[in-house]
Amino acid sequence: MPQQTTETKTDSVTNNNTHRQIAVIGGGLSGICTAYFLAAKGFEVAVLERRANVAEEATFGNSGLLAPGSAMPLTLPGRFATFRCRFQDEPRVLLRSGIDMARNRWMRGTRKAQQQEFAANKLRLTRLSAYGQMLTRHLQEHHALEHENSDGVIHLFRHAADAARIPQLLEAAQQSELKHKAVDAEAIRLLEPAFASGAALAGAIHYPQDQAGNCVLFAKQMRLAAQELGVVFHFGCTVKSLQPEFGGRVALEVEAPQFESSRLMVDGVVVAAGLQSANLLRPLGTVLPLHALESYSALVPIKNPDDAPNAALVDEAYKVAMTRIGNRIRISGLLGFVSPSKTPPPKALRNLLKIAGDYYPNAANYNQAHFWSNSMALTPSGMPLLGPTLQGNVYVNVGHGASGWAASVGSSALVAEMLAGEEPAFDPEGLLLQHMPVAK
């Protein structure tokens, strides 16, 4: 199929009308991988992205964890602890002052999911992420992709309330046939000699098969792999609305200089556009229970390689991950119910460096850290949301979170299988839109 550039004028998304045409809205990891898997199945695919390149929003803030064992449904501190966070110098969650009814409804859904559905959701997420990790490894090998993968993840629990879930996490790992082992601080130092924390730990788990790497690099290389299969990427393209048409097609109203017409016709749509997905689908009667959260990251140069981590580390209390990427350490996580800002709040900056210093104080030049923040759309349970909407030819693939690399790849493959009318690789129960409760 002839590729189109953003300079090409056309009234259709693609030129060849002999195959089903699918538009994927969103050029993050989920959109790229969905397009790749669809093209591999013979679909004619175009990706519509409002930014100037792929992986510039939520994917850019991904933690780099490729880790089914340590993948966790969202868990937040209890209500009292959460609202105290405004006044703490080292908050676990950042909150904007004032009353926010939408946030409160969403958090009620989060608490319900933690209390009633955590064990089932953890097992689902582990299985989905294990599928995604397997696919990622295959893609890296098949396309000879460059990567900066490291092996092993240590999942730390500072507080007894968090550590109380360890039996459920071990059960999920056991059922998913993942190698795992509960460890204490002494055992961690045997695995990671540079681990220097003297802080008391309530518990920890080591997942030797979990990995970490450069998610953004993977996403950009997958764009090239998708283009080799005929996928066309249109940048600077904002989708304003979707409208199902008679005959089983979908009309997209777009704002983009490369199209002569603002109306595009396709056979199907996959919406993988983060919070924008909710705005696009609401007029069609589909409500996505998404809320925008900020996530914060820092990249620091390694100063003493012998004092730097080899395995990745996840601090459950602060939702922070530390991953080694070549001669740098990436520190990412810490959630905020605050307004988006290019400049992360000072509390977030202090927290990220403080947590890294707790475990590897001599590893890096923390005073040379480069910081950024990004918005991500999460469901109350922290579980991905995928599959068909009320319109049978409009699908969704959202909600993977900052640590959702593996889950995103797995979800994308499942969506492609569904669109192709194939039996999914495994039962997606609990991940489909019709199974997702809306917080009230």
Side-chain angles (χ1 to χ4, degrees):
M1 182 187 74
Q3 284 195 3
Q4 298 176 358
T5 66
T6 55
E7 290 77 22
T8 301
K9 296 288 186 179
T10 178
D11 287 324
S12 63
V13 174
T14 52
N15 293 327
N16 187 339
N17 293 316
T18 61
H19 304 291
R20 288 183 64 193
Q21 298 177 326
I22 306 296
V24 177
I25 304 174
L29 181 61
S30 296
I32 298 166
C33 290
T34 301
Y36 174 90
F37 289 123
L38 284 170
K41 294 181 181 299
F43 289 92
E44 193 173 349
V45 187
V47 176
L48 310 179
E49 166 56 43
R50 62 182 178 176
R51 297 278 189 169
N53 202 346
V54 297
E56 289 199 345
E57 296 194 37
T59 299
F60 190 79
N62 188 278
S63 66
L65 291 173
L66 187 63
S70 54
M72 286 277 283
L74 182 65
T75 55
L76 294 173
R79 181 178 179 85
F80 178 71
T82 299
F83 282 88
R84 280 177 53 219
C85 289
R86 296 181 206 155
F87 312 106
Q88 294 175 342
D89 290 332
E90 298 173 7
R92 295 167 65 185
V93 178
L94 300 180
L95 289 177
R96 180 175 51 234
S97 60
I99 297 174
D100 186 331
M101 299 304 296
R103 178 190 68 194
N104 293 346
R105 286 194 300 271
W106 188 88
M107 291 181 69
R108 284 198 296 271
T110 297
R111 288 192 292 274
K112 180 180 177 183
Q114 290 177 199
Q115 294 165 1
Q116 301 179 12
E117 303 157 12
F118 178 83
N121 282 340
K122 168 56 183 170
L123 181 57
R124 293 182 186 115
L125 186 58
T126 297
R127 287 175 172 169
L128 176 65
S129 300
Y131 180 49
Q133 184 190 40
M134 178 196 70
L135 291 171
T136 300
R137 288 171 169 171
H138 171 74
L139 290 167
Q140 288 176 333
E141 180 180 348
H142 178 73
H143 292 287
L145 304 183
E146 296 180 21
H147 62 81
E148 298 172 304
N149 292 356
S150 62
D151 294 324
V153 173
I154 301 170
H155 199 167
L156 301 177
F157 304 87
R158 293 178 184 244
H159 306 294
D162 296 326
R165 297 190 185 276
I166 287 179
Q168 295 171 315
L169 306 185
L170 296 176
E171 176 65 20
Q174 181 74 26
Q175 292 192 40
S176 302
E177 300 182 351
L178 299 179
K179 292 182 179 179
H180 60 282
K181 184 179 181 180
V183 292
D184 57 15
E186 183 177 351
I188 293 173
R189 291 188 184 96
L190 292 176
L191 295 166
E192 279 285 309
F195 184 80
S197 175
L201 295 176
I205 305 173
H206 178 230
Y207 297 100
Q209 295 171 309
D210 278 11
Q211 294 178 299
N214 191 330
C215 182
V216 175
L217 176 63
F218 174 76
K220 290 184 176 181
Q221 292 180 109
M222 283 304 298
R223 172 200 169 181
L224 299 178
Q227 287 177 317
E228 290 176 358
L229 294 178
V231 177
V232 179
F233 286 78
H234 297 286
F235 297 106
C237 179
T238 299
V239 179
K240 309 297 288 186
S241 68
L242 307 175
Q243 181 61 55
E245 297 285 324
F246 291 110
R249 304 201 86 197
V250 183
L252 290 76
E253 292 294 328
V254 300
E255 189 177 279
Q258 62 265 42
F259 297 122
E260 291 180 349
S261 172
S262 63
R263 185 177 175 86
L264 307 178
M265 296 293 294
V266 294
D267 298 304
V269 176
V270 179
V271 184
L275 202 64
Q276 184 193 7
S277 304
N279 298 330
L280 287 172
L281 293 175
R282 190 177 297 111
L284 304 184
T286 295
V287 177
L288 302 183
L290 298 173
H291 197 287
L293 277 77
E294 292 297 292
S295 180
Y296 307 100
S297 301
L299 193 66
V300 296
I302 291 176
K303 177 176 63 176
N304 299 313
D306 291 341
D307 293 325
N310 292 306
L313 183 148
V314 177
D315 185 319
E316 181 60 30
Y318 290 95
K319 313 299 179 193
V320 167
M322 293 181 62
T323 56
R324 183 169 180 171
I325 304 175
N327 61 355
R328 300 155 294 162
I329 297 174
R330 179 165 181 162
I331 314 157
S332 58
L334 186 65
L335 302 178
F337 292 87
V338 296
S339 300
S341 173
K342 292 183 179 180
T343 304
K347 284 185 178 181
L349 308 187
R350 290 197 300 268
N351 239 23
L352 289 174
L353 298 186
K354 185 263 182 190
I355 292 164
D358 280 352
Y359 301 118
Y360 298 99
N362 301 313
N365 291 311
Y366 293 115
N367 60 345
Q368 298 178 21
H370 173 68
F371 297 98
W372 69 93
S373 63
N374 68 282
S375 299
M376 58 184 181
L378 290 180
T379 64
S381 65
M383 295 292 287
L385 187 56
L386 59 95
T389 66
L390 296 173
Q391 284 71 35
N393 54 354
V394 178
Y395 282 64
V396 68
N397 187 13
V398 295
H400 301 91
S403 299
W405 178 355
S408 181
V409 177
S411 295
S412 300
L414 291 179
V415 168
E417 290 161 1
M418 294 176 194
L419 263 165
E422 301 172 358
E423 189 72 21
F426 63 89
D427 187 357
E429 179 186 2
L431 303 171
L432 298 176
L433 178 60
Q434 57 264 41
H435 297 161
M436 182 67 66
V438 178
K440 298 180 179 179

